Amino acid sequence: MSIFSSIFGDANSRFLKGLQPLVERINALEPEMQKLVLEDFPKKTQEFKERLHPPAGGGESLDDLLPEAFALVREAARRTLGQRHFDVQLLGGMVLHKGQIAEMRTGEGKTLTATLPIYLNALEGNGVHVVTVNDYLARRDMVWMGQVYYLLGLQTGCITHSTSYVYDPDHSNASSVLDTKRDAKGNFEVVEEYLRPCTRKEAYAADITYGTNNEYGFDYLRDNLAYQSDQVSQREHAFAIIDEVDSILIDEARTPLIISAPDEESGDLYKVFAALVPKLKQNEDYNLDEKVKAVTLTEAGIEKVEQLLGVQDIYTEKGIRYVHHLEQALKAHTLFAHDRDYVVKDGEVIIVDEFTGRLMPGRRWSEGLHQAVEAKEGVIVQRESRTLASITFQNYFRLYEKIAGMAGTAQTSAEEFHKVYHLDVTTIPTNRKLIRDDKADKVYQSVAGKYQAVMKQIKECRQKDQPILVGTVSIEKNELLSAMLKREGIPHQILNAKHHEQEGAIIAQAGRKGVVTIATNMAGRGVDIILGGNPSVPEEAEAVRKAGGLFVLGTGRHEARRIDDQLRGRAGRQGDPGASQFFVSLEDDLMRVFGSDKIKRLMGTFGIPEDEPIENRMVSRSIESAQSKIEGFHFDARKHLLEYDDVMNKQREAIYRMRRDFLNASLEVLRERVEDMIKEEMRNMVSGHAVNQSLGSSDGAWHTEEMVEQVNAMNISIEGLPEALLSIQHDSLADEEKRARMIELLQQRANVAFAEKIAEIGENAKNVLRYFALQTIDYLWTDHLEVMDYARSSVRLRAYGQRDPLVEYKNEALRLFQQFNSAVAHVIVANILKFNSSASGQVIQAPHHNLTLSHPSAAGVLPQQSASFAQSSQSPKDPKFAEIGRNDPCPCGSGKKYKKCHGV
């Protein structure tokens, strides 16, 4: 601690001290709130809303209402849950309300703390989104805390992957809302009878909505693929509280959410390269760099591949497609391991989240990598896909007017939270003093020696009835340790992604006497480990306390210190005794890849048995240095991703605004928008057919014949048009005046054709215009995303020319976006004017249905959009109409021009 901190106190303490008067005001209101009867709670909520927004205007602010609102929530929680907010939880609620991150230790009641700012901000009426890390926690917290909000007169909704709900005890024969349901072991029970299934739109319309980060993000993307306004489910992005904020905004920030559609079949190529890659040798045919997770072919490797494929030059003969398949197959073979990065279940390759150890069904790696892994494992290779919409969590959560977060470990990433999200981190003191014993690491020379020591420690804990939670860094290590325990005849519970359905029950019982639990690093985040396992049997809890409380043993350091701290935090909740310790080997991936060679050579000279720990400050510093390096590497990667995605984000926001305008516009507004596009199209046409003045022509010449041909092709009448254009061209006017008159003439002709088309379409005109506009935007946006992806890849090469790739990408992005906007206007105008009005009843169905959404670099499955209105094509003429001009009377006798009858 610096001398200034010792004199003035650190910034965190000073900030909390400034909030203390508010805590005292809330406490002073407690006797008044205790006098309320149940019917008074919703009345107080209505009173607060009226004070916020009185009919005459000039109401109070949320800050003005905070003391009373917090006091009311505290009393409502006491009545419904039998839980009263501690003073430190009041502080945490204030920090969240101010739009900051509250770092609260495990077991300090983050879920209950959040009810305070959630209720206060829900009074505004714009909806509060509560973000959790999985569906189980979203449903659990919604039902649990929904009792509090229900008493207060607010509705609570929940979004899960499969179903949406609102908390509605009145819809069934459910018992009193004031009954907190717990099972026989004392664990909180999700009472299904309180849940009423509903539409996603209804869940979002609730005052408070619980859901996962993935579901919120995908709903945002899906809303921006909607073709009718009633298909849009989300409303305002007002306030979001993110639970486990470090996991969501940091660990998952590098992997964007993607919605995509199936593309070409290429399974055979993946199989060819999956069989070819094992024939290549490391350090001879390819080089592997585990630090940056990269693999590159050598010249010798390329020659070997060409020989195996029977080609002279893979780059010139087979092109980038074959090279791409080869690179992805090589990555799948060398960088992605079975039971570490993925599992194979029911004939499918399922990704394992590297941070939580959970299975992620439905998620797929992008750019063909998932297909390469499928081919490697010999399962059915799924189709590749094209991206329709994507967004990173970083930019999704920037949509909210205010965000706040909760985590047990956030200070180590405070710099990133501030720089990327403008979020400050405040550490909330524990309600009771933390007495957990965080022991120094034990470092072993080999993995085998480390596991011998782990087994020894487990046996010691069992002998004295001390529960032990053993954390592993992967499913593979998890199951290896389980097999060792089985051989020793030691009963244990195993918790990994393969058993995530039961994880709540397993982890909640990990505090019973002598219980051994093996868990991946997630260790049931969000579920408290209660000593003794049953609050209703205090003597069991006391026996565990005497044995030393829960012992948390980490079998290896994680790349991020936060993950290690989260594992430690499972022990020592609410002043309970406990201990934590990490067992590390010099052969662990962290030390093997990032550790100093000097350290490794030094350790080899000690002559210490494998299962004896090494205590050396140099080794400890080496571990910390390795973690620091990796954290810095990941921070740079996320920052780099954000810099590039910010460019796309500006374009995405502009396109989604355009889309929303078309989606919600009246017919009159739609006509105005299309007429604006017509004007732009005519301006581009005139400019495009002007003779280049720099080539020596100074008489203002235009290629009027080409203009007439183009206008005719757009189904616009050209009667008298050639003469009118020539007249303008030969007038003694300035070039700019000629240009303006030509644009005006063509615009008038096009507007007449457009008005006639609207009249022909009739009552479906609004739907047809909207559909044309939305489908054109979507189709061209899909192409634009692909082009932008290629542009991002190509600008990296410009660094060799001493040019900043990011600046180059921004310049390229601006040029491409201008082209995109011009293309949108051109396609909408051209296709509207050529549309067959007799088919108008068939055009109003949205092409997006049966959406399957997925996460990281992965693509959901979406039916391929029809491009019929985004591409113009002409069918061969019937022979009897072969010689008929477009403006001639139709031979069928209808009295219409051929172009408006059989020539459509």
Side-chain angles (χ1 to χ4, degrees):
M1 183 182 291
S2 70
I3 187 172
F4 295 103
S5 297
S6 61
I7 296 173
F8 302 107
D10 62 85
N12 193 91
S13 299
R14 291 197 303 274
F15 177 73
L16 292 176
K17 189 175 180 180
L19 298 177
Q20 197 58 40
L22 281 175
V23 174
E24 293 168 5
R25 285 178 61 189
I26 295 166
N27 289 337
L29 289 167
E30 193 164 19
E32 178 185 333
M33 297 300 172
Q34 288 175 344
K35 296 175 184 176
L36 298 176
V37 297
L38 295 182
E39 292 76 15
D40 291 334
F41 285 86
K43 292 177 183 176
K44 290 293 289 184
T45 295
Q46 188 58 37
E47 176 198 322
F48 291 155
K49 288 181 176 181
E50 291 171 358
R51 285 164 59 183
L52 271 176
H53 303 291
E60 297 178 54
S61 68
L62 290 179
D63 289 343
D64 295 332
L65 293 177
L66 187 148
E68 292 173 78
F70 276 30
L72 185 69
V73 175
R74 175 192 257 179
E75 182 60 22
R78 193 182 67 81
R79 301 274 185 103
T80 56
L81 307 178
Q83 296 178 333
R84 176 186 175 276
H85 295 79
F86 303 130
D87 285 0
V88 290
Q89 289 175 311
L90 298 179
L91 289 173
M94 293 175 204
V95 167
L96 293 171
H97 169 63
K98 289 181 177 294
Q100 298 183 11
I101 292 173
E103 183 183 74
M104 300 178 70
R105 299 290 184 189
T106 299
E108 290 297 305
K110 293 191 289 291
T111 307
L112 185 64
T113 298
T115 57
L116 299 162
I118 288 171
Y119 171 75
L120 178 62
N121 285 268
L123 295 172
E124 285 281 13
N126 297 323
V128 175
H129 292 173
V130 187
V131 188
T132 65
V133 293
N134 60 52
D135 283 348
Y136 165 75
L137 292 176
R139 289 172 65 249
R140 185 203 71 174
D141 292 354
M142 175 260 213
V143 177
W144 192 5
M145 299 303 149
Q147 300 172 84
V148 179
Y149 305 128
Y150 186 83
L151 178 59
L152 291 164
L154 297 181
Q155 188 176 55
T156 312
C158 177
I159 304 292
T160 68
H161 183 66
S162 55
T163 317
S164 301
Y165 307 93
V166 288
Y167 182 81
D168 185 10
D170 297 332
H171 88 284
S172 68
N173 297 321
S175 53
S176 168
V177 68
L178 301 183
D179 292 342
T180 301
K181 297 280 185 168
R182 290 186 179 272
D183 60 23
K185 295 178 180 176
N187 300 315
F188 181 79
E189 183 182 354
V190 174
V191 187
E192 297 290 342
E193 62 202 52
Y194 291 173
L195 302 178
R196 175 169 60 81
C198 66
T199 64
R200 256 172 149 72
K201 194 179 185 79
E202 187 178 354
Y204 278 113
D207 299 290
I208 300 142
T209 306
Y210 285 82
T212 66
N213 48 322
N214 285 342
E215 295 307 313
Y216 286 123
F218 279 130
D219 282 341
Y220 171 72
L221 293 177
R222 185 163 47 188
D223 284 352
N224 285 289
L225 290 173
Y227 273 64
Q228 296 177 21
S229 56
D230 60 2
Q231 295 171 342
V232 176
S233 48
Q234 288 188 348
R235 47 184 183 139
E236 298 91 346
H237 292 88
F239 180 43
I241 289 186
I242 307 169
D243 195 10
E244 309 295 3
V245 66
D246 52 337
S247 175
I248 291 171
L249 293 190
I250 292 183
D251 294 341
E252 297 194 50
R254 284 179 294 162
T255 49
L257 298 168
I258 298 174
I259 297 180
S260 60
D263 199 5
E264 62 176 328
E265 288 277 6
S266 54
D268 290 342
L269 272 180
Y270 286 110
K271 293 173 185 174
V272 167
F273 284 105
L276 181 151
V277 162
K279 299 175 183 177
L280 304 180
K281 296 180 181 178
Q282 186 175 346
N283 299 327
E284 182 178 316
D285 300 319
Y286 63 87
N287 294 319
L288 182 65
D289 189 338
E290 291 185 82
K291 290 186 180 181
V292 294
K293 294 188 177 179
V295 58
T296 54
L297 279 165
T298 63
E299 286 295 325
I302 293 171
E303 289 177 9
K304 182 181 283 190
V305 170
E306 289 169 344
Q307 289 173 4
L308 292 169
L309 290 174
V311 299
Q312 292 293 320
D313 187 335
I314 189 173
Y315 291 94
T316 57
E317 290 185 43
K318 296 297 183 181
I320 195 64
R321 186 177 177 212
Y322 265 52
V323 177
H324 172 73
H325 280 291
L326 172 60
E327 290 174 345
Q328 297 300 72
L330 195 55
K331 281 184 184 177
H333 182 72
T334 59
L335 293 173
F336 290 81
H338 189 287
D339 271 351
R340 185 190 71 191
D341 303 294
Y342 63 89
V343 298
V344 178
K345 186 177 181 181
D346 299 328
E348 290 185 34
V349 170
I350 302 176
I351 297 173
V352 174
D353 189 296
E354 64 177 308
F355 299 105
T356 66
R358 297 181 190 278
L359 289 187
M360 298 181 161
R363 301 187 182 186
R364 294 177 66 81
W365 290 301
S366 65
E367 299 176 357
L369 176 59
H370 207 96
Q371 288 86 347
V373 174
E374 288 170 333
K376 167 190 170 185
E377 293 295 335
V379 300
I380 295 174
V381 178
Q382 303 296 325
R383 298 174 69 184
E384 289 190 80
S385 53
R386 296 183 71 200
T387 299
L388 299 181
S390 72
I391 193 169
T392 60
F393 286 128
Q394 292 161 317
N395 276 316
Y396 173 72
F397 284 109
R398 286 172 162 189
L399 295 171
Y400 288 87
E401 294 176 23
K402 180 170 74 172
I403 61 173
M406 306 179 289
T409 50
Q411 277 293 357
T412 54
S413 300
E415 180 187 2
E416 184 167 356
F417 282 125
H418 182 75
K419 285 185 176 179
V420 176
Y421 303 101
H422 307 294
L423 286 170
D424 292 325
V425 177
T426 299
T427 301
I428 307 300
T430 55
N431 183 51
R432 295 178 180 171
K433 186 178 179 181
L434 181 67
I435 60 172
R436 184 184 67 232
D437 181 12
D438 293 331
K439 300 176 184 292
D441 293 359
K442 286 188 175 181
V443 185
Y444 299 85
Q445 291 192 58
S446 68
V447 170
K450 177 179 74 173
Y451 279 113
Q452 289 175 29
V454 168
M455 296 297 292
K456 184 178 177 182
Q457 181 66 57
I458 291 172
K459 290 174 182 176
E460 287 179 7
C461 288
R462 276 178 52 78
Q463 284 175 356
K464 58 180 181 178
D465 285 339
Q466 183 177 19
I468 182 168
L469 173 67
V470 184
T472 62
V473 295
S474 70
I475 296 174
E476 180 186 16
K477 300 289 193 296
N478 185 287
E479 295 184 340
L480 170 66
L481 195 53
S482 176
M484 293 174 67
L485 289 169
K486 285 176 183 176
R487 283 199 300 270
E488 294 286 332
I490 298 175
H492 61 281
Q493 293 279 3
I494 184 168
L495 180 63
N496 61 30
K498 293 183 177 179
H499 304 89
H500 65 276
E501 294 89 353
Q502 298 87 31
E503 72 178 39
I506 293 172
I507 202 70
Q509 296 303 305
R512 292 169 57 206
K513 283 196 304 183
V515 166
V516 179
T517 307
I518 314 297
T520 45
N521 54 37
M522 61 171 177
R525 275 185 90 160
V527 182
D528 279 342
I529 298 176
I530 300 171
L531 296 189
N534 191 342
S536 61
V537 187
E539 55 270 22
E540 288 191 18
E542 189 56 37
V544 173
R545 287 191 181 93
K546 288 180 179 177
L550 179 67
F551 190 102
V552 171
L553 191 159
T555 59
R557 286 283 196 168
H558 194 271
E559 290 181 349
R561 287 171 293 175
R562 287 180 298 102
I563 308 296
D564 293 342
D565 291 342
Q566 288 159 14
L567 184 60
R568 286 191 195 276
R570 307 312 300 171
R573 62 180 293 280
Q574 283 295 322
D576 284 339
S580 71
Q581 191 165 33
F582 284 90
F583 287 34
V584 182
S585 154
L586 293 180
E587 294 178 349
D588 289 351
D589 288 345
L590 186 71
M591 292 300 295
R592 182 175 55 81
V593 177
F594 290 90
S596 162
D597 289 334
K598 182 179 177 182
I599 296 292
K600 295 171 187 175
R601 287 195 301 270
L602 181 65
M603 294 305 102
T605 64
F606 284 177
I608 298 174
E610 279 191 335
D611 62 345
E612 287 295 321
I614 300 167
E615 295 182 10
N616 187 285
R617 293 177 63 187
M618 192 184 298
V619 178
S620 299
R621 283 198 300 268
S622 182
I623 293 172
E624 293 168 4
S625 174
Q627 288 182 309
S628 179
K629 285 178 188 175
I630 300 171
E631 287 173 359
F633 174 78
H634 289 325
F635 182 18
D636 289 343
R638 290 187 289 268
K639 183 181 176 185
H640 185 70
L641 173 73
L642 185 61
E643 287 172 341
Y644 279 86
D645 193 59
D646 277 345
V647 178
M648 272 306 304
N649 196 53
K650 289 183 176 64
Q651 297 185 6
R652 183 189 300 113
E653 289 177 350
I655 291 306
Y656 287 175
R657 274 197 304 272
M658 182 195 298
R659 235 186 154 280
R660 283 194 296 273
D661 288 346
F662 277 112
L663 190 66
N664 300 315
S666 63
L667 177 60
E668 292 70 24
V669 173
L670 286 170
R671 290 187 65 166
E672 289 175 8
R673 291 296 303 270
V674 174
E675 285 172 355
D676 288 342
M677 290 180 173
I678 287 173
K679 183 175 183 179
E680 184 65 25
E681 182 67 7
M682 297 304 120
R683 182 182 290 114
N684 291 337
M685 185 186 299
V686 172
S687 298
H689 291 296
V691 173
N692 193 332
Q693 302 295 311
S694 65
L695 296 180
S697 174
S698 58
D699 59 351
W702 273 265
H703 296 303
T704 55
E705 300 87 352
E706 285 85 348
M707 275 192 261
V708 172
E709 288 177 7
Q710 193 169 342
V711 168
N712 190 35
M714 295 173 70
N715 224 9
I716 300 171
S717 172
I718 60 170
E719 189 174 347
L721 182 61
E723 295 82 4
L725 288 172
L726 285 172
S727 174
I728 294 172
Q729 180 175 345
H730 295 139
D731 272 349
S732 56
L733 299 170
D735 282 352
E736 285 305 312
E737 181 64 23
K738 291 181 182 180
R739 185 188 302 271
R741 288 183 59 186
M742 285 185 180
I743 292 171
E744 184 180 2
L745 174 62
L746 295 178
Q747 185 182 354
Q748 288 172 352
R749 295 285 184 117
N751 283 344
V752 169
F754 177 50
E756 291 175 354
K757 184 62 63 178
I758 294 299
E760 284 178 24
I761 296 171
E763 61 182 13
N764 269 332
K766 176 182 174 182
N767 289 332
V768 170
L769 286 180
R770 184 183 66 213
Y771 182 89
F772 261 121
L774 296 178
Q775 193 185 39
T776 301
I777 292 169
D778 289 350
Y779 182 81
L780 294 178
W781 179 245
T782 300
D783 281 345
H784 180 71
L785 289 175
E786 198 169 291
V787 172
M788 287 291 288
D789 193 44
Y790 286 131
R792 180 170 173 176
S793 300
S794 66
V795 295
R796 295 171 189 161
L797 299 174
R798 301 184 192 179
Y800 293 109
Q802 305 302 311
R803 293 154 79 180
D804 186 338
L806 181 59
V807 172
E808 293 292 306
Y809 179 67
K810 288 179 178 178
N811 293 335
E812 193 78 358
L814 177 61
R815 182 183 66 80
L816 291 170
F817 193 58
Q818 290 170 341
Q819 289 180 358
F820 167 81
N821 282 312
S822 296
V824 167
H826 171 74
V827 173
I828 289 176
V829 170
N831 285 307
I832 282 286
L833 295 177
K834 288 187 283 189
F835 174 61
N836 182 357
S837 58
S838 64
S840 63
Q842 304 168 16
V843 187
I844 59 173
Q845 299 302 316
H848 302 311
H849 41 267
N850 300 324
L851 276 175
T852 301
L853 307 175
S854 54
H855 184 281
S857 333
V861 179
L862 179 70
Q864 180 65 53
Q865 299 182 73
S866 165
S868 56
F869 302 118
Q871 296 175 332
S872 58
S873 59
Q874 294 184 347
S875 302
K877 283 188 179 182
D878 187 305
K880 71 177 182 178
F881 299 132
E883 301 300 320
I884 304 299
R886 287 174 48 76
N887 290 299
D888 294 337
C890 188
C892 75
S894 66
K896 296 182 180 179
K897 291 182 180 181
Y898 170 71
K899 68 182 181 183
K900 294 189 176 181
C901 191
H902 279 76
V904 172

